[in-house]
Amino acid sequence: MLETKDILETINMIDNEHLDVRTVTMGISLLDCIDSDINKACDKVYDKICRYAEDLVKTANDISSEYGIPIINKRISVTPIANVAAACQNSGVVKFAHTLDKAAATLGVDFIGGYSALVQKGFAAGDFALIESIPQALAETKKVCSSVNIGSTKAGINMDAVKMMGKAIKSAAELTADNNCLGAAKLVVFCNAPEDNPFMAGAFHGVGEADCVINVGVSGPGVVRAALTKCDGYDLSQVADEIKRTAFKITRMGQLVAQQASKRLCVPFGIVDLSLAPTPAVGDSVAYILEEMGLEVCGCHGTTAALALLNDAVKKGGVMASSHVGGLSGAFIPVSEDAGMIHAAEVGALDITKLEAMTAVCSVGLDMIIIPGDTTPEVISAIIADEAAIGMVNSKTTAVRLIPAIGKGVGDTLDFGGLLGYGPVMPVRSGSPAKFINRRGRIPAPMQSLKN
């Protein structure tokens, strides 16, 4: 039974500490929409998405109003379109992107993810065409997000795909240069991509998922930071315990929203992703949590250790609060979306090298990092390969979302607005990796992949 103090505590978290449900995401399988005629396939895709998600936005808004819980985004994820397009013999695959965008606009959702390909071990029918179409697709649509999984612990790293994605990211930025290079901000390159992730831009509906599910992503960096302000004199074990207790409360709220959405939409409940996803709002920052632990500024020595403690405590606390935890689940460190990370980058305390080290212990990877517009595709590919290697060897999800700021250099700023925020252009390391990237082939899977 809830006590008055628990209710008041939750109200305070929502009103003053930026507690919210970041997204309610409906995952929809499109496997039954496959057709060799691309026009028929697109019609089936549009009809199924609109039929299944017809009441998604209204239901989420109703739950938000009834319970007083902010639900920031309503989203849809679909089967990787490369799988759906495989039967269409590479004929104008970008038509699927327009279809997804049309469905998203009809339904009023914020984003739709799944313009994706899974090529960790090689290319199947449809994969090449989809990857080559990504820059055009993201330039010509508003709500479509794209992702490509180029590696896994089990398969190794597909360096042919890594090379392609360096070019795709650069091209996506160039084609949207008049819109703050937004195309690249909607494109994620994964290693060990989860199939039930509700967060954009990397969400897609895995082929092992049910026909339709509801996944919820919660967020509460401000709540965790507020809890730690009361922990002066605590040792780090006590700090971890406080984070676990707070993560439990945050995730419990997400579980409530997920169950209600599942019940009202008559769709199975998938998972709660208990990630701490920051925003540019002051106070809603993962970096500020790390600084509350005792760091002078995020990025100084000790940052990786503090982030490891945070990520582990969030998972341990959250997993006890929900019957099904999945997705990414932990702490996000997207530079442009986190006020503390932005500050740390601006004062020079945080660079790509330090961020790469931090990704070994956080939930995702090099996320929303703005780099000089003249960065070569080979350097972008090499950054992807480095990050994928961390994920592959450590059996964890890592990702890269880089935005080459076309026409800008180190010291300039790129401003996306909204949840994507803004950030300084960060320098990349000197020296060319072109010969390494152009060798192509595959980086073999590590020994720890042999678990059978």
Side-chain angles (χ1 to χ4, degrees), residues 29 38 108 160 165 197 210 232 270 293 295 311 314 322 326 343 352 362 372 399 412 417:
S29 172
I38 192 169
D160 293 304
M165 292 313 300
N197 167 28
D232 279 348
M293 290 184 193
L295 302 177
N311 207 54
V314 166
S322 175
H343 170 73
I352 291 180
C362 78
D412 293 328

Side-chain angles (χ1 to χ4, degrees), residues 34-85:
I34 294 174
D35 196 295
S36 59
D37 184 321
I38 192 169
N39 294 311
K40 291 181 180 178
C42 286
D43 287 343
K44 291 178 184 178
V45 165
Y46 178 81
D47 291 343
K48 183 169 185 180
I49 293 172
C50 290
R51 184 171 71 254
Y52 277 43
E54 179 181 11
D55 296 322
L56 175 61
V57 172
K58 179 182 182 301
T59 299
N61 288 338
D62 288 347
I63 294 169
S64 180
S65 297
E66 290 175 29
Y67 289 91
I69 299 170
I71 299 176
I72 306 303
N73 274 184
K74 299 85 183 176
R75 301 166 175 171
I76 295 170
S77 63
V78 299
T79 305
I81 290 298
N83 295 359
V84 182

Side-chain angles (χ1 to χ4, degrees), residues 1-2 6 9-10 13-14 19-21 63 67 69 216-220 223 243-260 269 272-275 314-325:
M1 184 172 179
L2 289 174
D6 295 321
E9 182 182 42
T10 303
M13 289 177 178
I14 292 170
L19 177 62
D20 60 58
V21 168
I63 294 169
Y67 289 91
I69 299 170
V216 168
V218 297
S219 181
V223 178
I243 294 171
K244 285 190 288 185
R245 282 191 288 270
T246 306
F248 180 92
K249 297 170 186 175
I250 294 169
T251 308
R252 206 67 176 159
M253 184 190 71
Q255 171 89 351
L256 170 66
V257 170
Q259 289 176 331
Q260 285 295 317
F269 162 44
V272 173
D273 187 318
L274 48 94
S275 296
V314 166
K315 290 177 185 289
K316 286 175 178 174
V319 77
M320 295 296 293
S322 175
S323 53
H324 299 288
V325 170

Side-chain angles (χ1 to χ4, degrees), residues 5 44 138 207 235 248 256 295 303 311 337 360 365 394 421 444-445:
K5 68 179 183 66
K44 291 178 184 178
L138 296 180
V207 295
D235 67 25
F248 180 92
L256 170 66
L295 302 177
T303 298
N311 207 54
E337 299 175 18
N394 290 285

Side-chain angles (χ1 to χ4, degrees), residues 53-345:
E54 179 181 11
D55 296 322
L56 175 61
V57 172
K58 179 182 182 301
T59 299
N61 288 338
D62 288 347
I63 294 169
S64 180
S65 297
E66 290 175 29
Y67 289 91
I69 299 170
I71 299 176
I72 306 303
N73 274 184
K74 299 85 183 176
R75 301 166 175 171
I76 295 170
S77 63
V78 299
T79 305
I81 290 298
N83 295 359
V84 182
C88 300
Q89 299 178 349
N90 301 338
S91 54
V93 67
V94 75
K95 185 177 179 67
F96 282 102
H98 290 289
T99 300
L100 296 179
D101 207 41
K102 179 183 175 183
T106 299
L107 296 166
V109 297
D110 297 282
F111 291 106
I112 186 165
Y115 199 75
S116 307
L118 310 179
V119 295
Q120 58 268 25
K121 204 169 184 178
F123 300 94
D127 292 335
F128 258 105
L130 183 127
I131 292 174
E132 289 179 343
S133 75
I134 287 173
Q136 179 188 355
L138 296 180
E140 295 179 357
T141 59
K142 292 182 178 181
K143 300 188 176 188
V144 172
C145 292
S146 179
S147 60
V148 176
N149 192 66
I150 51 81
S152 71
T153 301
K154 196 71 177 173
I157 301 172
N158 181 348
M159 292 300 291
D160 293 304
V162 168
K163 180 178 171 66
M164 291 183 72
M165 292 313 300
K167 293 180 179 178
I169 290 171
K170 184 68 178 282
S171 181
E174 291 172 339
L175 291 178
T176 54
D178 60 347
N179 189 23
N180 293 312
C181 307
L182 188 62
K186 298 190 294 176
L187 173 57
V188 181
V189 186
F190 276 114
C191 179
N192 290 321
E195 296 192 348
D196 54 4
N197 167 28
F199 285 100
M200 298 297 171
F204 64 89
H205 188 70
V207 295
E209 297 284 305
D211 190 50
C212 185
V213 297
I214 287 291
N215 297 323
V216 168
V218 297
S219 181
V223 178
V224 175
R225 185 200 183 195
L228 293 185
T229 61
K230 306 166 188 174
C231 295
D232 279 348
Y234 283 28
D235 67 25
L236 291 177
S237 295
Q238 292 170 312
V239 167
D241 285 342
E242 186 61 34
I243 294 171
K244 285 190 288 185
R245 282 191 288 270
T246 306
F248 180 92
K249 297 170 186 175
I250 294 169
T251 308
R252 206 67 176 159
M253 184 190 71
Q255 171 89 351
L256 170 66
V257 170
Q259 289 176 331
Q260 285 295 317
S262 172
K263 178 180 178 181
R264 299 182 190 196
L265 291 166
C266 299
V267 171
F269 162 44
I271 56 94
V272 173
D273 187 318
L274 48 94
S275 296
L276 296 181
T279 71
V282 174
D284 197 24
S285 162
V286 169
Y288 290 162
I289 298 173
L290 305 180
E291 292 169 5
E292 197 64 50
M293 290 184 193
L295 302 177
E296 182 178 357
V297 62
C298 180
C300 71
H301 294 298
T303 298
T304 304
L307 181 59
L309 184 155
L310 173 63
N311 207 54
D312 180 68
V314 166
K315 290 177 185 289
K316 286 175 178 174
V319 77
M320 295 296 293
S322 175
S323 53
H324 299 288
V325 170
L328 297 162
S329 289
F332 286 5
I333 53 171
V335 175
S336 78
E337 299 175 18
D338 186 307
M341 295 284 176
I342 295 168
H343 170 73

